[in-house]
Amino acid sequence: MNMNLMAKYFANWEDRRLVRRFLQQREERVFREIYRRHAGRLYQLSLRLLGGEPQAAEEILQETWVRALEHLPDFQWQSSLRTWLSGIVVNCCREFFRLRAAQRNSSPAEELEMALPLIDHARRLDLEDAIAALPSGYRQVLILYDVEGYRHEEISKMLDLETGTSKSQLFHARRALRRLLEPSSAENVNRRNHDFNK
Amino acid sequence: MTSINEPEEWGAAEKARLAALRREQMPPPAAVEKIVHVLKAKRLIRMTTKSQILTWPRLMGAAAAAALFLALGFGLGRWQKQPSSAPSGQALFVMFLYDTPQTSGDEDRAVLEYGRWARTVRESARRISGEKLKAGGRILRPAPQGIEILEAASLENETVLGGYFLIEAENYDDALKIAKDCPHLKNGGVIELRQIDQI
């Protein structure tokens, strides 16, 4: 067993112990232990999925814990606690995007247009900026696959997609990200907009 | 040609950049308080149970008592001095024995089994000692007002430290061989094996 697997094994073991303990009496101090173990990862995931909006990320984090604690007694440990919690973050973010798209009456492709003015085109984008600039659909798959390390089968369940759709989203996301990371020029930005709106 | 179902792979430099992305970022400290407040309002967590808090004045008293015990312990240690390190070529290991809700077996039989196993270890010219721990311990941790003392896990639904063995072995493989035969595993318990750092 390599060190990563062993670390995961013990992390999972500790999570089981804490969750069992929490469910006995729903004590605040046990919740805080669970929170301390996972909040950093969940907040970062939420922040990245949202393209860097700290206030919205905090709201997502709060909603994630509310839903998690409501459904914790039914959690079957078919995945690790972290994966389960991450799935809730992803769902909350998707609802957030749906709500925002409905409010703005915009399509996902138009989201990029809204994100673009925030980007300083005169400089080369750093990776975080470039990921944040991707349309939310591309961004979600890319973050879950390339950053968080989930498999397409897991992503398709989380995002309620066909596995093939997850793969094609990743294909487009990687291509778009590569272009965003090229030294910026008016030509690149125009080409990028053209690709996304096709 | 790259197909959509076979996403173009990242190059080594791109993979390295992705791997270097920050994986964790704690939310602002106020976030947890807000979340706890909301969870309480929704009755998803309840108020913290009464836990003993040692305030600084009480802590000073406790420190004085600890100093007294330390002095007594030092005297006792000199009186029944035991070698604290293994003979040359041998290393010391601790086996922490955890009981889980699945740990089974009646106590009388367990005492016989553990005794038999310990004799076998001793007969192979290795020193061994150990103790069973009583149920119900305390966890101490720093708190803003001093030191917070919490009840340790109970056996009903928890994994708890039930005892330990101190063993001598040539190396980790040798220690593992000894630990694998320990009846604790057969009874559903878990063993954590750690080498003592003999500085």
Side-chain angles (χ1 to χ4, degrees):
Chain A
M1 193 185 283
N2 67 31
M3 287 306 284
N4 275 344
L5 279 176
M6 197 183 283
K8 275 187 187 169
Y9 173 77
F10 282 113
N12 210 15
W13 192 31
E14 180 65 3
D15 281 338
R16 281 174 182 262
R17 189 183 77 79
L18 286 168
V19 167
R20 262 201 307 268
R21 197 160 179 197
F22 175 76
L23 288 176
Q24 284 173 357
Q25 297 193 312
R26 290 192 172 258
E27 285 180 76
E28 180 186 332
R29 63 189 171 91
V30 184
F31 166 73
R32 283 178 186 266
E33 282 289 310
I34 300 172
Y35 177 92
R36 191 182 51 76
R37 289 171 63 76
H38 298 287
R41 203 63 193 246
L42 300 178
Y43 181 66
Q44 177 68 79
L45 173 64
S46 157
L47 205 54
R48 203 167 266 143
L49 286 172
L50 296 174
E53 295 185 41
Q55 201 176 341
E58 273 186 52
E59 282 167 25
I60 297 286
L61 186 67
Q62 179 179 305
E63 184 57 23
T64 297
W65 286 112
V66 168
R67 291 185 194 185
L69 264 50
E70 280 171 350
H71 295 103
L72 202 53
D74 306 321
F75 179 48
Q76 298 294 309
W77 296 97
Q78 284 170 350
S79 65
S80 70
L81 183 66
R82 175 160 292 172
T83 299
W84 183 65
L85 292 169
S86 300
I88 301 177
V89 168
V90 171
N91 277 329
C92 290
C93 287
R94 292 178 72 212
E95 286 170 26
F96 175 85
F97 284 126
R98 269 200 292 268
L99 191 68
R100 193 164 65 176
Q103 281 168 352
R104 290 178 176 173
N105 198 20
S106 61
S107 70
E110 285 166 338
E111 282 179 31
L112 178 70
E113 291 297 313
M114 287 180 230
L116 283 175
L118 302 173
I119 300 164
D120 176 4
H121 293 147
R123 66 180 172 87
R124 186 177 175 146
L125 295 178
D126 83 7
L127 187 54
E128 286 285 10
D129 290 340
I131 292 174
L134 291 172
S136 61
Y138 291 178
R139 185 164 67 232
Q140 287 171 34
V141 174
L142 184 123
I143 290 170
L144 293 173
Y145 191 91
D146 280 333
V147 182
E148 296 290 322
Y150 290 107
R151 298 190 307 273
H152 282 297
E153 292 73 21
E154 294 171 302
I155 295 169
S156 62
K157 279 182 196 158
M158 278 181 180
L159 301 179
D160 197 20
L161 298 171
E162 293 296 322
T163 310
T165 310
S166 170
K167 287 180 182 174
S168 72
Q169 291 275 58
L170 181 67
F171 174 87
H172 289 298
R174 283 181 170 180
R175 199 170 59 169
L177 188 65
R178 273 210 172 108
R179 293 201 175 170
L180 284 167
L181 290 168
E182 284 169 8
S184 64
S185 66
E187 190 189 339
N188 283 337
V189 173
N190 290 338
R191 193 174 65 207
R192 186 172 76 211
N193 292 348
H194 175 71
D195 281 351
F196 286 146
N197 289 319
K198 263 200 294 198
Chain B
M1 190 179 143
T2 311
S3 91
I4 279 179
N5 284 334
E6 292 165 11
E8 44 189 43
E9 286 302 316
W10 293 124
E14 290 166 320
K15 278 184 185 170
R17 286 182 76 184
L18 282 162
L21 284 176
R22 195 173 180 180
R23 293 296 194 275
E24 279 198 35
Q25 182 177 343
M26 278 310 274
V32 65
E33 303 308 328
K34 194 174 158 209
I35 290 171
V36 164
H37 179 76
V38 169
L39 294 172
K40 278 181 184 168
K42 289 181 178 283
R43 298 182 178 276
L44 290 167
I45 58 174
R46 65 184 184 84
M47 303 289 280
T48 307
T49 51
K50 189 181 157 196
S51 65
Q52 288 170 270
I53 299 279
L54 280 185
T55 53
W56 285 115
R58 291 171 72 184
L59 196 60
M60 296 302 285
L68 179 64
F69 278 116
L70 190 66
L72 280 171
F74 181 68
L76 278 174
R78 282 165 55 128
W79 180 47
Q80 4 173 258
K81 191 171 181 192
Q82 288 183 353
S84 60
S85 60
S88 68
Q90 295 276 301
L92 280 174
F93 291 84
V94 188
M95 291 166 52
F96 294 106
L97 275 57
Y98 290 93
D99 295 327
T100 68
Q102 285 75 43
T103 308
S104 60
D106 73 80
E107 203 160 320
D108 291 343
R109 187 175 57 82
V111 170
L112 283 175
E113 279 179 351
Y114 285 65
R116 203 175 301 132
W117 169 77
R119 258 197 312 281
T120 314
V121 177
R122 204 172 289 125
E123 281 164 8
S124 62
R126 295 176 175 100
R127 285 188 301 177
I128 178 167
S129 64
E131 297 291 349
K132 179 182 178 299
L133 301 177
K134 275 194 165 187
R138 301 287 183 274
I139 293 167
L140 288 80
R141 63 180 184 191
Q145 303 94 323
I147 291 176
E148 192 178 13
I149 301 180
L150 307 163
E151 296 240 340
S154 68
L155 187 55
E156 288 163 20
N157 289 304
E158 301 283 340
T159 298
V160 296
L161 184 61
Y164 71 90
F165 283 106
L166 188 63
I167 58 170
E168 252 177 25
E170 285 173 23
N171 49 39
Y172 246 112
D173 286 342
D174 190 31
L176 270 175
K177 210 185 303 171
I178 296 169
K180 274 181 187 169
D181 288 335
C182 179
H184 195 62
L185 295 170
K186 208 172 60 186
N187 293 334
V190 173
I191 297 174
E192 183 179 348
L193 181 68
R194 300 288 292 269
Q195 183 170 5
I196 291 179
D197 196 354
Q198 292 172 272
I199 300 169

